[in-house]
Amino acid sequence: MARPYLVLATLWLTIASALHSAAFAEVLPLEYFARLPQVRNGELSQDGRHAVIRVEKNGAYVTAVFGYDGENISYLQGIQETEEYKTLWTHWANPERLLISIGFADKRQFTETFESRLISLDLSDFKMKPLFGARDGWPVQIQDRIVSFLPKDPQHFLVKYSGQSTWPSVYRVRVDSHRHKLVQRFKVGVRDWRADRDGEVRIGIGTKDEKTPYMVMRPAGTDEWIDYSHLKQKPGVTFNPLSFSPFSDLLYVVSNHDGEPAGLHLFNVATGEFEDLIYRHPTADIVGIRTNTITGQLRGVVYSGDTPATHWVDEGTQKLQDMISEALGGARVSINNQTPDRRYAFLRASKASEPGAYYLWDEERLALRLVSPLYPELEGQTLGEVIQARYDARDGLSIPAYITLPPGLTDLNAARALPTVVLLHGGPHARDYGSFDYWTQFLANRGYVVLQMNFRGSAGYGAAFQAAGYREWGEAMQDDIEDGARWLVSIGVADPARLAIIGGSYGGYAALMGLVKTPDLFQCGISINGVTDLPDLLRHDAKYVGGRYATRHIGNLYKDRKKLAANSPARNAKTVRKPVLLLHGDQDRVVPIAQSNKMARALRGADKDVRYVKLEDGDHSISLYENRMIFLDEVEKFLGPCLSPS
């Protein structure tokens, strides 16, 4: 295959901003980082004649459909998002029909909820049609839980939702109608259903009494459900079914039954035996697979490395990815999707210190066409170098971390006694990656070293590493954070008199606990949409389906009541000695704003230095441009006095 030539085509995004080309000062304007990425996601239709891309316009997104004839690109139609309504995902059901999921915050009988609505867009006339009517007097709350897109039947798909039972059943839905046909009645205990390539529902996964994992499977051509719950119940063992292979009873499964980290295996549903190990990454967990949408043949294995990456079983796609990476100067290339005939591919290329851009690959013309950069104003700017590191926690556990340096510094030896921000990820069963992040690069641009650690309990490093964080909120996980901050001081990078701690969601909780448990280590702390009271969080989540099971790794409300109280920042506000900044979105449906309200009252009642900012129409992800501006502005103003030389 010849090397691609870069065709810097006219941007598809005729409604987007033009690139900036002027030189900027060393400290870049705040809005360059706060801006929403100019494009988000993108998917080509099966024939490559259309693409759907979320395009930023005036601080909000348009879900835009474009046409492509191999030469010319044209904007066809768009759905404008609002502060209330966001596009959650899009999918081409077939080349003429696009499915769109819309999400928004709402209430049902005084209970705050998150709702989704599923609509269908017909490309022949661009008319939109809702795919659900009212049931039992109410619209179905969550309408976009897809079981299968039915590659052999592009006029239908399978979706699960609850009717009169709290347990979901599975329905066959036409892509152009709200008429649904029941194909799998609910089973008590099953929350998640999986189907094979013929649309037969053959796996059910859930819990018994919201305590014990439960899993049943059905061999091909039978009505017998076999209980395989024991595969989910073994301590420390991962068993995660992904999808059926083209062979009827062979299932692609992520499992670590034969060692860490978790690998991709074939599992025989009929015999209950593992057949083959397909792929195991030496250090990272497998998190998904890529298959041919027509045949179901395995094409790639997705793993959780320093960035989410794909090991391509399909050699042609691997060569294509490597070739484009070389052409773009060693950029990390991620192929979003390819047409089944492999003629076209939609992809993203970026580096840890560069936000990158989206491209369209045309195999027939061997052309790589620029679609759009993500952050146009940051193109060509010198951003912070990201360095991988590890340190040992006090009990000897090795903790992976990333250190981002202020622009101009390229190694740790050049960074001496600098003001430092410890930036903590949410989840906590998530992880940070060595990829571009606007929070991190904004802080680095302001002259701060940024330390991000994947403390125990983080995902992607094996079941044992994640399990080491269970019921360790405020304890062993918190110790890992403290140990990381002290380690960065010990190697001379961080100034011990200029340390701050920041985080969002669980990271906001951990930032506050850092001020509670180590009141003299950090000079200030910032919590964004953070948890502050663990018993209140457990009671809140218990009101929702599956809430008790989801929070089982935090603790038991009664048995662990003393431990939970001791590790709740809002109940220990008197211990805080340094300034606190709280920010919280008033429409957050993940961590209720009542959590920050309580923390603010506790700090003020204890006569502590606290500033509390409520983000209007703010969600858990700070997805509005206006709120991103407020967030970064508040952080900048707060950190300046906190981390300036004394």
Side-chain angles (χ1 to χ4, degrees):
M1 184 183 290
R3 288 187 58 179
Y5 59 91
L6 298 187
V7 181
L8 300 183
T10 302
L11 293 184
W12 290 24
L13 310 183
T14 56
I15 58 176
S17 304
L19 293 175
H20 290 250
S21 58
F24 301 113
E26 183 178 357
V27 176
L28 301 175
L30 180 150
E31 54 267 28
Y32 291 1
F33 299 92
R35 68 118 64 233
L36 299 175
Q38 186 159 272
V39 294
R40 262 188 179 161
N41 307 324
E43 184 183 1
L44 298 170
S45 60
Q46 291 87 340
D47 58 5
R49 295 177 55 245
H50 296 93
V52 57
I53 309 173
R54 293 180 71 203
V55 182
E56 186 272 336
K57 182 180 181 183
N58 299 327
Y61 280 103
V62 175
T63 300
V65 178
F66 296 87
Y68 180 56
D69 61 8
E71 292 289 346
N72 300 308
I73 299 162
S74 57
Y75 169 70
L76 301 178
Q77 182 69 286
I79 302 173
Q80 178 70 58
E81 298 181 22
T82 68
E83 292 181 351
E84 293 81 17
Y85 298 94
K86 310 294 180 190
T87 296
L88 302 179
W89 55 258
T90 58
H91 180 78
W92 292 100
N94 56 59
E96 292 77 36
R97 183 75 61 166
L98 179 67
L99 300 179
I100 304 172
S101 172
I102 304 295
F104 57 96
D106 204 352
K107 287 186 177 182
R108 291 191 178 219
Q109 297 178 343
F110 309 105
T111 299
E112 292 182 339
T113 62
F114 181 81
E115 309 266 338
S116 67
R117 299 291 179 263
L118 199 56
I119 60 177
S120 173
L121 179 67
D122 187 345
L123 264 63
S124 66
D125 56 13
F126 285 98
K127 290 184 178 179
M128 292 186 292
K129 185 177 185 63
L131 297 182
F132 279 73
R135 282 167 171 76
D136 302 322
W138 290 84
V140 173
Q141 179 188 343
I142 305 296
Q143 302 180 359
D144 62 350
R145 291 176 176 164
I146 302 298
V147 175
S148 173
F149 283 113
L150 300 178
K152 295 183 179 180
D153 180 8
Q155 299 304 317
H156 294 86
F157 61 96
L158 300 183
V159 64
K160 65 176 182 178
Y161 60 87
S162 301
Q164 296 180 348
S165 168
T166 59
W167 307 99
S169 298
V170 181
Y171 299 83
R172 184 184 297 268
V173 180
R174 276 193 62 87
V175 297
D176 58 358
S177 170
H178 60 72
R179 294 181 179 179
H180 303 177
K181 179 181 179 181
L182 177 69
V183 297
Q184 174 61 56
R185 188 174 182 273
F186 71 87
K187 292 178 75 72
V188 174
V190 173
R191 297 283 183 206
D192 188 21
W193 293 101
R194 310 282 173 85
D196 63 17
R197 296 189 52 76
D198 293 320
E200 294 293 324
V201 178
R202 296 178 54 199
I203 302 177
I205 303 173
T207 60
K208 295 178 181 178
D209 302 322
E210 295 202 17
K211 296 179 181 178
T212 308
Y214 174 58
M215 180 173 63
V216 292
M217 299 186 190
R218 185 164 60 87
T222 76
D223 294 326
E224 177 190 6
W225 288 98
I226 302 175
D227 192 334
Y228 282 125
S229 299
H230 63 281
L231 295 172
K232 301 281 284 185
Q233 295 170 3
K234 295 178 181 178
V237 175
T238 298
F239 186 93
N240 180 23
L242 298 181
S243 70
F244 281 91
S245 77
F247 306 99
S248 60
D249 275 327
L250 295 184
L251 180 67
Y252 294 120
V253 170
V254 174
S255 176
N256 66 345
H257 68 283
D258 60 345
E260 295 277 9
L264 182 68
H265 299 258
L266 275 178
F267 177 81
N268 192 312
V269 172
T271 66
E273 300 291 334
F274 287 94
E275 302 251 339
D276 298 312
L277 171 64
I278 298 174
Y279 178 75
R280 172 182 280 120
H281 189 275
T283 60
D285 280 343
I286 305 304
V287 295
I289 58 175
R290 305 285 291 273
T291 61
N292 184 298
T293 56
I294 301 298
T295 67
Q297 196 71 32
L298 181 69
R299 299 187 59 240
V301 184
V302 185
Y303 60 90
S304 181
D306 290 312
T307 61
T310 301
H311 165 78
W312 291 101
V313 177
D314 177 63
E315 293 183 1
T317 303
Q318 185 65 56
K319 289 179 180 178
L320 171 63
Q321 181 170 288
D322 293 344
M323 181 179 61
I324 293 175
S325 175
E326 181 185 356
L328 296 177
R332 293 165 175 162
V333 174
S334 176
I335 298 175
N336 280 33
N337 82 306
Q338 266 182 305
T339 55
D341 62 6
R342 300 185 186 179
R343 175 174 176 179
Y344 302 110
F346 192 84
L347 58 96
R348 177 182 174 180
S350 65
K351 297 180 180 179
S353 57
E354 298 176 11
Y358 280 104
Y359 296 86
L360 172 68
W361 168 252
D362 187 329
E363 176 76 15
E364 186 172 289
R365 293 170 174 78
L366 295 180
L368 188 66
R369 299 179 183 273
L370 173 67
V371 175
S372 173
L374 275 76
Y375 289 78
E377 298 86 354
L378 296 180
E379 287 288 295
Q381 301 297 333
T382 301
L383 300 179
E385 191 78 17
V386 181
I387 298 171
Q388 298 178 40
R390 276 187 177 268
Y391 63 89
D392 289 336
R394 63 192 66 182
D395 62 357
L397 184 65
S398 180
I399 305 297
Y402 300 99
I403 302 169
T404 304
L405 301 177
L409 300 179
T410 57
D411 60 67
L412 296 183
N413 292 327
R416 298 288 91 188
L418 295 176
T420 297
V421 171
V422 177
L423 181 60
L424 308 173
H425 70 70
H429 308 311
R431 60 161 293 175
D432 276 321
Y433 292 95
S435 53
F436 176 84
D437 174 74
Y438 83 92
W439 289 24
T440 305
Q441 290 295 343
F442 170 75
L443 292 167
N445 182 259
R446 267 46 186 174
Y448 305 124
V449 173
V450 183
L451 172 63
Q452 298 168 278
M453 70 279 290
N454 286 318
F455 40 79
R456 72 189 69 201
S458 299
Y461 298 97
F465 189 87
Q466 183 167 321
Y470 291 169
R471 302 202 175 202
E472 294 292 345
W473 286 49
E475 299 192 350
M477 286 195 291
Q478 198 68 38
D479 294 342
D480 291 348
I481 294 166
E482 176 189 347
D483 293 345
R486 295 191 187 279
W487 165 75
L488 203 62
V489 170
S490 72
I491 64 174
V493 174
D495 182 349
R498 293 187 289 168
L499 272 175
I501 187 166
I502 303 177
S505 192
Y506 172 85
Y509 161 83
L512 295 172
M513 281 304 298
L515 300 181
V516 168
K517 292 194 69 173
T518 52
D520 295 319
L521 178 60
F522 302 102
Q523 278 61 61
C524 58
I526 303 175
S527 169
I528 304 100
N529 295 332
V531 174
T532 72
D533 189 286
L534 297 183
D536 283 359
L537 179 70
L538 294 179
R539 280 189 285 265
H540 173 269
D541 285 4
K543 296 188 298 183
Y544 298 90
V545 173
R548 287 189 177 89
Y549 187 75
T551 57
R552 69 196 185 283
H553 296 315
I554 299 175
N556 182 278
L557 189 57
Y558 179 74
K559 294 179 181 179
D560 300 321
R561 59 190 181 280
K562 291 183 179 180
K563 177 181 176 179
L564 294 171
N567 290 307
S568 293
R571 301 188 184 209
N572 296 276
K574 292 180 180 180
T575 309
V576 175
R577 298 177 189 169
K578 301 298 172 59
V580 178
L581 172 63
L582 303 173
L583 299 103
H584 212 119
D586 63 6
Q587 297 300 315
D588 190 340
R589 290 298 187 266
V590 179
V591 176
I593 194 172
Q595 290 277 322
S596 287
N597 290 343
K598 188 168 187 175
M599 189 72 204
R601 288 195 303 269
L603 289 168
R604 289 166 180 161
D607 198 27
K608 304 297 180 178
D609 185 350
V610 57
R611 174 168 171 76
Y612 182 23
V613 179
K614 296 182 181 181
L615 302 175
E616 185 177 354
D617 295 318
D619 59 14
H620 195 65
S621 303
I622 320 180
S623 60
L624 294 180
Y625 169 72
E626 293 82 359
N627 284 334
R628 286 166 65 128
M629 284 287 292
I630 294 169
F631 157 59
L632 293 184
D633 182 56
E634 291 287 343
V635 167
E636 183 172 31
K637 291 188 296 187
F638 183 79
L639 288 181
C642 168
L643 297 184
S644 61
S646 57

